[in-house]
Structures are given as C-alpha cells and as structure tokens.
Amino acid sequence: MTTQPTTDNPDILILQSRLQDTDASTRRIALIELADLEDPDALPWLTHALTADSNVDVRREAARLLEGWEEADVVEALSAALTDTDETVGEIAAQSLSQLKTAELGHIILRWVNHQNAEVRKHAWRALRELRLPASASAALTALQDENANVRREAVGVLGWLKHIDALPELARLASNDSAIEVRRAATGALGLANNDSVLPALRSALNDSEWQVREEAASTLGKLRLAASGDYLITALADSYWQVRLQAVRALGKVRFVPATNALLELLGHSISNLRKETALALGELGNTSALPALRAAENDSDPEVRKAVRIALAQLDKH
C-alpha cells in the first residue's frame, strides 16, 4: 500500500496502528470506528483507503462510509472509485455520490460522463440526476445518443429532473423509437415536463408500445399533463390486455375529467380486480357526471372496504353537482 496520511488528531492517532495493520479485517473495522468520529480530519484516511487499499472489502467499506460528506476531496475520490477494478466498489461509490445535495459538486462528477467505460458513464449520470446541475444539460442531451442503453436511460433522468424543455424533441424520439424498453419508459415519463400538447403524438405512440410498462407510463404521463385531447386515446387504453395499463388510464381520465369516458368507466366498476374498481369509482367522481350515480350507489356494497370508501368519496363529489 502507499503511504498513509499523517495527523496530529489524538482520536485518529489512537486508531492509526490498526488503520495500517496488515490484516484487512482489522483495517476495515478501524475505518468504521474512524467514521464514527464524524470528524472532517478523518476524511483523508477514508479517501486514501478507498483509492489505495489493496483489499476490496476495505475499499467497499470506505465507499460506504464516505456517503453524506459534502466535500470536494470526497467527491473526487468517489468519482475515481467508479473505475475500481471491482465492480461492486464502483456501485457503492455511485450510491454514495447519488446522495450528494450540493449541486456545485456535480462539476467534479461531470468530468466522468465521457469515460470510455459505459458503467462509469452510467454511474456518473445517476449521481448527477438529483443534483439538478444546469451545466449538465448539454452533455446529457449528447448522452441521449450513447451506444449504451443504461447511459441513455440515466441521461434521460438528468434531463427530467432539470425540467429541460429543450430536450422534449429528443425525449419524444426516444419514447417512440429507442430499442431499449427502459429507455422508452424513462423518456415517456420525462415527457411529463411538457407545458403544451406538443408531446401528444409521442405519448399516443407510447400508448401503443409493444411493452406494457411503456404503455403504463404513457397513461400515467398523460394524466399528469391533463391534456383534454388525450381523452379518446385513454379510453382506448381501458381495453389494454394489462390491468396495470388500464389502471393508469382510469386515473388519467379522472385527472383530465374527460366526461365522454363515463360509459367506458362504468363498465369497469364491476371488474374482478379491486384496485381497478376503486380507481374507477374515484375517476367517476372526478368526472362529475351524475349519470354515474345509479351504478355508484349499487357499488356501495362492494366486498372490498377500499372500494366502498372510494365509492363514498365519488358520491360526495357528485352530490355537489
């Protein structure tokens, strides 16, 4: 191993011999005790263990223990650890980086998004996602073209968290045409940042995706956007072969308050899946169409208490009309 840091901190000096012990288990336990001090003076020892210790268990422990420290030197060490020869060290380092709260530290991570290793690129983008670093937007747009699907998916997440409106055309393209289901699903969800109906064609396409997870996301996103023009598409989605898609379509129709969906929703009020009955009742209440009253009153005796509760809520809403 390379030379350890030096210190005159008495608490660290007590641990120094164990931090340098030839036994890896002893070094690992000493690191835990060192971290328990919650002293910034301990950081050079922790970052040294992460980047220089010969034992993978020690490096893994150091990566875990560095989580939560909002220090540039820590971010430098964790970012470098993304390239560790042991994959799990990189994964743990990525997890620790993803807990950062200081956006400006993202500039350090941003230097790693073009690394030749796709796993490093993926982890770097994942760490940047919730930091909402404006400077990452341009690089994230470029990363939407990355050959690796995991990298594209994480770049979509960064742009979504940034609410980067200029990314909408590219996100729409991915939602409709990307070869990877998880990229299409992530891009479909990210279209929810739109402030107009320009994304409607892409979401309509996603409602017809070959994978139900993408169709489910499309219905959910349409509900968030509350676009009246999506009503007919959502009614069609009520006949989807997967109940999860139908559930999101029901919720979306309630949020859009698309009254022409009343009859189609009434047909689902007797569905065998209780969650679907519950959401249907709530949606009918949102629609405000009093023609649903007889069916809702009949559903007051549903066998599921959650459905009965939803029916009472819906009836209370309709009584106001």
Side-chain angles (χ1 to χ4, degrees), residues 233-307:
Y233 309 146
L234 290 167
I235 288 177
T236 300
L238 293 178
D240 196 276
S241 56
Y242 280 79
W243 70 266
Q244 295 93 332
V245 179
R246 298 200 294 273
L247 183 69
Q248 291 300 332
V250 167
R251 288 176 176 169
L253 285 165
K255 291 176 181 178
V256 174
R257 296 185 176 178
F258 192 66
V259 176
T262 302
N263 290 336
L265 287 172
L266 287 173
E267 292 181 13
L268 292 176
L269 202 54
H271 198 278
S272 59
I273 297 176
S274 60
N275 273 346
L276 201 48
R277 299 199 302 276
K278 179 183 75 172
E279 294 298 335
T280 298
L282 293 172
L284 286 167
E286 291 291 331
L287 263 54
N289 188 343
T290 55
S291 68
L293 281 170
L296 284 168
R297 286 175 180 142
E300 283 187 282
N301 296 317
D302 193 279
S303 59
D304 189 296
E306 289 299 313
V307 176

Side-chain angles (χ1 to χ4, degrees), residues 50-64:
L50 174 61
T51 58
D53 200 281
S54 61
N55 184 271
V56 65
D57 289 332
V58 175
R59 299 199 302 278
R60 289 171 183 164
E61 196 64 62
R64 290 190 189 95

Side-chain angles (χ1 to χ4, degrees), residues 174-186 188 202-219 237 240-246:
L174 293 179
S176 300
N177 300 318
D178 197 273
S179 59
I181 173 179
E182 286 306 317
V183 177
R184 298 200 304 277
R185 184 178 188 179
T188 297
L203 288 171
R204 182 183 183 185
S205 175
L207 270 180
N208 292 299
D209 195 274
S210 59
E211 302 291 341
W212 71 266
Q213 296 94 332
V214 179
R215 302 197 300 273
E216 177 188 33
E217 194 70 41
D240 196 276
S241 56
Y242 280 79
W243 70 266
Q244 295 93 332
V245 179
R246 298 200 294 273

